[in-house]
Amino acid sequence: MEYTHLGRSGLTVSRLCLGTMNFGWKTEEADSHEIMDRAHAEGINFFDTANVYGFEVGKGRTEEVLGTWFAHGAERREKTVLATKVYGSMTDWPNDTFLSARNIVRACEASLRRLQTDWIDLYQFHHVDLRTPWEEIWQACETLVAQGKVLYVGSSNHAAWQIAAANEAAARRNFQGLVSEQSHYNLLTRHVELEVLPAATHYGVGIIPWSPLAGGLLGGVLEKTEGGRRNEERQQKRIEEHRPALEAYEAFCRDLGHAPAGVGLAWLLHQPAVTAPIVGPRTMAQFEGSLAALDVELDDAALERLDEIFPGYRAAPMEYAW
């Protein structure tokens, strides 16, 4: 396993991040525990979750599954860089949503109870809250950091100007601010290259891509036409929309001698702003497929070919101005 620092922080994380969104509702607890044990065995120390995960079986269920895994001991918690998130509604009552100081502090306390831990390594804002000032957000985070309940703070789904506003406000308070940003980023979805990636690089914010395989489209979808979500009407519509590029992509992966999923993840690992893509397996087989990305080396010619198949963006304003 390769490791890197999370953004400008001194925190060392694995180059793959285990996403746990399926645990506890799509993946049974025992199977989830087995995948997490395997992740540790493979050297993955970076786990990502959120307080709302669990969805129809109950928000918070996924954090509970991690908590019962930590409770097995054997330094599971000590060896894990644990990331969770706050923002989404946990109840129908006011103040149990978004990024007010009240919700940040209370949601953190609730996550700690479900996770059966004393601290969260990376506490992330699941989405931007345009109605709450950064001064209030940072006041709450400073309290949690001072109490030792949170060590680092990150964002998710934030625009470049919001990352800038957040870190400038933090600097005025002599606070560290954001060290990471979770963005929707993959070969098919490259909009963050316009402004988010340049802003992240400028502020030393590590990018943690979510949906690195575009919801399965980059995982060899044309070769796997039977069963599962790939036959759902919405997925079929997406396949047809991108079919020419997907055909060229899968043919190129065959020429490289690597599975499409491994190539898609490896491409992200070659992007300088990226810390660790999030892989969110439902099964052990899917997790093992993600590990293959660590063995994929892409030379300049391969990277250029992937850019031809899935054109990206130059940083703004050069993308649209002289």
Side-chain angles (χ1 to χ4, degrees):
M1 180 57 58
E2 295 181 1
Y3 298 90
T4 188
H5 282 184
L6 180 62
R8 68 185 183 282
S9 79
L11 186 65
T12 298
V13 296
S14 50
R15 290 304 312 276
L16 290 180
C17 177
L18 179 65
T20 65
M21 186 177 71
N22 293 310
F23 293 179
W25 65 295
K26 289 189 174 181
T27 305
E28 293 295 330
E29 181 168 329
D31 294 333
S32 302
H33 287 186
E34 185 179 355
I35 291 172
M36 288 188 281
D37 280 336
R38 178 65 184 279
H40 268 193
E42 297 290 344
I44 294 177
N45 74 335
F46 192 15
F47 291 12
D48 175 76
T49 191
N51 60 349
V52 294
Y53 292 168
F55 301 107
E56 55 254 35
V57 304
K59 295 176 180 179
R61 176 59 185 145
T62 299
E63 287 188 332
E64 290 174 351
V65 169
L66 270 76
T68 57
W69 183 71
F70 289 140
H72 288 317
E75 296 189 323
R76 284 175 170 83
R77 178 63 190 94
E78 289 77 9
K79 293 178 179 178
T80 302
V81 175
L82 175 62
T84 192
K85 308 183 193 76
V86 57
Y87 176 88
S89 174
M90 296 296 287
T91 75
D92 294 332
W93 282 85
N95 295 316
D96 285 349
T97 312
F98 310 135
L99 300 180
S100 68
R102 175 188 167 111
N103 190 47
I104 288 173
V105 171
R106 288 175 57 83
C108 180
E109 296 282 1
S111 286
L112 290 170
R113 288 192 297 270
R114 287 188 293 266
L115 291 162
Q116 299 190 48
T117 186
D118 296 325
W119 84 98
I120 294 164
D121 295 287
L122 178 63
Y123 202 38
Q124 303 162 110
F125 311 132
H126 211 162
H127 209 285
V128 65
D129 182 354
L130 295 175
R131 293 189 174 186
T132 302
W134 282 109
E135 287 73 17
E136 177 179 345
I137 293 170
W138 289 137
Q139 177 184 349
C141 292
E142 288 165 5
T143 298
L144 294 172
V145 169
Q147 293 172 342
K149 296 172 181 176
V150 167
L151 302 185
Y152 301 90
V153 182
S155 60
S156 181
N157 305 305
H158 280 50
W161 73 267
Q162 292 153 0
I163 293 171
N167 275 354
E168 292 298 330
R172 290 194 294 272
R173 302 175 65 90
N174 295 314
F175 189 63
Q176 185 178 36
L178 302 175
V179 300
S180 64
E181 156 63 19
Q182 279 196 31
S183 289
H184 189 192
Y185 188 30
N186 54 59
L187 276 165
L188 270 172
T189 307
R190 300 178 60 169
H191 303 87
V192 293
E193 294 172 347
L194 284 165
E195 298 199 23
V196 173
L197 299 193
T201 300
H202 176 77
Y203 284 101
V205 171
I207 296 293
I208 308 170
W210 61 266
S211 193
L213 297 179
L217 260 66
L218 297 170
V221 68
L222 300 182
E223 295 181 354
K224 305 172 185 176
T225 57
E226 297 298 326
R229 60 181 176 177
R230 292 183 174 85
N231 280 337
E232 295 177 2
E233 182 177 350
R234 181 184 176 197
Q235 188 77 342
Q236 286 299 326
K237 184 176 179 180
R238 294 179 68 210
I239 290 171
E240 294 309 313
E241 179 184 355
H242 299 289
R243 180 172 288 276
L246 293 174
E247 289 176 346
Y249 174 65
E250 293 190 16
F252 180 59
C253 291
R254 286 192 293 271
D255 291 341
L256 290 175
H258 293 293
V263 173
L265 290 170
W267 178 81
L268 282 169
L269 291 171
H270 280 74
Q271 306 310 305
V274 169
T275 294
I278 298 174
V279 296
R282 295 190 304 278
T283 66
M284 183 67 78
Q286 290 180 346
F287 175 68
E288 290 172 344
S290 298
L291 291 174
L294 299 170
D295 297 322
V296 178
E297 290 291 337
L298 301 175
D299 59 20
D300 290 343
L303 293 171
E304 289 174 7
R305 176 58 181 146
L306 290 170
D307 282 337
E308 291 173 359
I309 297 171
F310 301 108
Y313 301 92
R314 293 181 297 167
M318 284 71 75
E319 174 65 25
Y320 46 77
W322 55 272

